[in-house]
């Protein structure tokens, strides 16, 4: 069908394992899923979503998937599997989309998070900023957040000449009640650029009188492709999802079931998204945007990575 240039008929169903009750509760904001569905449709698959928490254990989930004729499974980044009753791996071809410490044995497609942190830092330095603060609010159990933190620690320990790098790690525990305190702490450090994982805290700080970018420039490590204000890195989550389907398609055609003898990891390079939150200090003609351009009333939330 693909060779003839025709739209392929659905030939099989793929399972996407992803929990509800997260940022992607309705799956509308799950960028991985967008790429998965689009690429699956191109290759002649349909995609059904399964939440492992809706099953007594992973053995039961395996039976449900197998009895429905599903042989291809994509494990989402935030999926937690029951290690006491693991999936019957040998019955399925499985690919993981996004870094997940719970399933480190699988074929993996993910964003290059080290490149995302280094890319954000590089653009801040290139734009003329010399006092840079990494204020990283990370989940303790999120491997992606921990990787970002490790790269930031390395940059703070080995800064370029003439650049000061500050690092303030935080967790999401009771972060709502720490918002104003973290803004005061940031002002004491007096950075000219602040790098955070998402825009959530920036949005909250605007409610407490923070002026971005007049007071300090702002960069988000994880931002959307269409961001109109915050500069940052687009992790290409849709592309990660599409590549996960490509890898699964290859496995199904080769009958590569079960846990692979050697793990294969494919990393997708992130891209830079410019925005008014990071004015170029090296430009003599550039002018800073007015404070009114900031999304003062928006709640950023935590996207999937």
């Amino acid at each position: 069908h693909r060779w003839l240039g025709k739209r392929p008929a659905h030939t099989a169903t793929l399972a996407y394992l992803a929990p509800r009750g997260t940022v992607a509760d309705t799956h509308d904001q799950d960028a991985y899923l967008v790429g998965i569905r689009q690429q699956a449709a191109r290759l002649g698959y349909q995609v059904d979503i399964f939440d492992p928490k809706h099953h007594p254990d992973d053995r039961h989930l395996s039976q449900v998937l197998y009895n429905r004729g599903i042989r291809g499974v994509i494990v989402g980044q935030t999926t937690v599997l029951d290690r006491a009753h693991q999936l019957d791996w040998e019955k399925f071809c499985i690919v993981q989309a996004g870094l997940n410490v719970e399933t480190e044995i699988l074929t993996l497609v993910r964003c290059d998070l080290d490149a995302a942190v280094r890319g954000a830092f590089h653009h801040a330095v290139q734009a003329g900023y010399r006092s840079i603060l990494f204020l990283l609010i990370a989940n303790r159990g999120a491997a992606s957040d921990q990787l970002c933190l490790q790269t930031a620690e390395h940059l703070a320990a080995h800064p370029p000449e003439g650049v000061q790098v500050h690092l303030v790690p935080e967790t999401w525990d009771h972060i709502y009640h720490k918002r104003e305190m973290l803004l005061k702490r940031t002002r004491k450090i007096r950075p000219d650029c602040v790098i955070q994982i998402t825009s959530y805290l920036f949005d909250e700080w605007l409610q407490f009188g923070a002026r971005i970018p007049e007071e300090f420039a702002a960069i988000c490590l994880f931002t959307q492709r269409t961001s109109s204000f915050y500069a940052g890195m687009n992790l290409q989550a849709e592309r990660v999802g599409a590549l996960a389907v490509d890898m699964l398609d290859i496995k199904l055609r080769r009958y590569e079931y079960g846990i692979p003898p050697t793990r294969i990891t494919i990393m997708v390079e992130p891209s830079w998204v410019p925005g008014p939150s990071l004015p170029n200090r090296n430009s003599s003609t550039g002018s800073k945007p007015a404070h009114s351009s900031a999304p003062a009333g928006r709640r950023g939330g935590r996207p999937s990575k």
Side-chain angles (χ1 to χ4, degrees):
H1 279 285
R2 292 200 301 274
W3 291 341
L4 294 175
K6 296 180 180 179
R7 181 179 177 84
H10 289 306
T11 57
T13 298
L14 306 179
Y16 179 56
L17 306 187
R20 296 186 182 273
T22 63
V23 171
D25 186 40
T26 62
H27 301 289
D28 293 336
Q29 299 177 4
D30 191 335
Y32 292 118
L33 182 57
V34 172
I36 288 170
R37 279 178 165 159
Q38 290 177 350
Q39 187 65 3
R42 295 188 190 101
L43 299 182
Y45 299 101
Q46 67 180 29
V47 179
D48 288 348
I49 303 170
F50 295 85
D51 185 349
K53 293 182 180 179
H54 292 172
H55 301 267
D57 52 48
D58 291 340
R59 191 180 304 280
H60 180 268
L61 175 59
S62 298
Q63 294 174 349
V64 170
L65 297 177
Y66 189 80
N67 291 338
R68 292 190 182 185
I70 295 174
R71 299 296 180 266
V73 176
I74 297 176
V75 180
Q77 174 172 322
T78 57
T79 302
V80 178
L81 299 174
D82 181 2
R83 292 195 167 195
H85 303 88
Q86 289 189 351
L87 280 172
D88 191 350
W89 303 106
E90 299 305 318
K91 290 183 177 179
F92 307 101
C93 299
I94 307 177
V95 173
Q96 178 182 321
L99 190 60
N100 187 328
V101 295
E102 297 292 331
T103 50
E104 66 275 3
I105 56 178
L106 302 177
T107 299
L108 170 64
V109 183
R110 70 172 179 89
C111 173
D112 188 342
L113 297 170
D114 179 79
V117 178
R118 293 181 182 277
F121 180 77
H122 169 77
H123 280 88
V125 173
Q126 289 297 307
Y129 295 88
R130 294 298 178 263
S131 179
I132 300 171
L133 167 64
F134 282 99
L135 202 168
L136 303 184
I137 306 174
N139 283 333
R140 290 191 180 94
S144 56
D145 288 0
Q146 296 305 315
L147 271 181
C148 292
L149 185 58
Q150 290 173 13
T151 302
E153 289 174 345
H154 179 80
L155 292 172
H158 305 87
E161 183 177 357
V163 177
Q164 286 185 318
V165 181
H166 311 273
L167 175 62
V168 177
E170 266 291 347
T171 66
W172 280 94
D173 299 334
H174 311 295
I175 195 63
Y176 183 82
H177 302 288
K178 299 179 182 178
R179 298 168 298 160
E180 192 170 9
M181 177 272 290
L182 287 173
L183 177 58
K184 292 179 180 178
R185 186 175 180 182
T186 296
R187 283 171 167 165
K188 287 183 179 180
I189 298 173
R190 301 185 67 180
D192 51 21
C193 179
V194 179
I195 300 176
Q196 294 183 15
I197 292 180
T198 72
S199 65
Y200 169 77
L201 201 55
F202 287 137
D203 291 339
E204 295 296 314
W205 282 357
L206 295 173
Q207 310 303 315
F208 295 110
R211 295 175 296 110
I212 301 174
E214 294 82 1
E215 189 173 357
F216 49 77
I219 297 178
C220 299
L221 292 179
F222 308 153
T223 191
Q224 297 295 323
R225 180 179 61 242
T226 57
S227 175
S228 59
F229 180 73
Y230 291 113
M233 304 302 296
N234 175 17
L235 300 188
Q236 305 289 345
E238 293 182 15
R239 182 59 178 156
V240 170
L243 283 173
V245 174
D246 287 338
M247 290 296 296
L248 192 56
D249 181 57
I250 292 173
K251 282 178 170 287
L252 288 166
R253 294 178 184 277
R254 294 179 177 177
Y255 298 96
E256 295 179 357
Y257 286 71
I259 298 173
T262 302
R263 177 171 181 170
I264 299 174
T265 299
I266 299 175
M267 290 196 291
V268 178
E269 189 80 10
S271 61
W272 173 250
V273 179
S277 69
L278 186 76
N280 188 350
R281 284 189 163 187
N282 297 320
S283 174
S284 58
T285 59
S287 59
K288 292 182 179 181
H291 171 61
S292 59
S293 63
R298 197 183 65 178
R299 294 292 182 269
R302 280 190 59 79
S304 56
K305 315 179 262 306

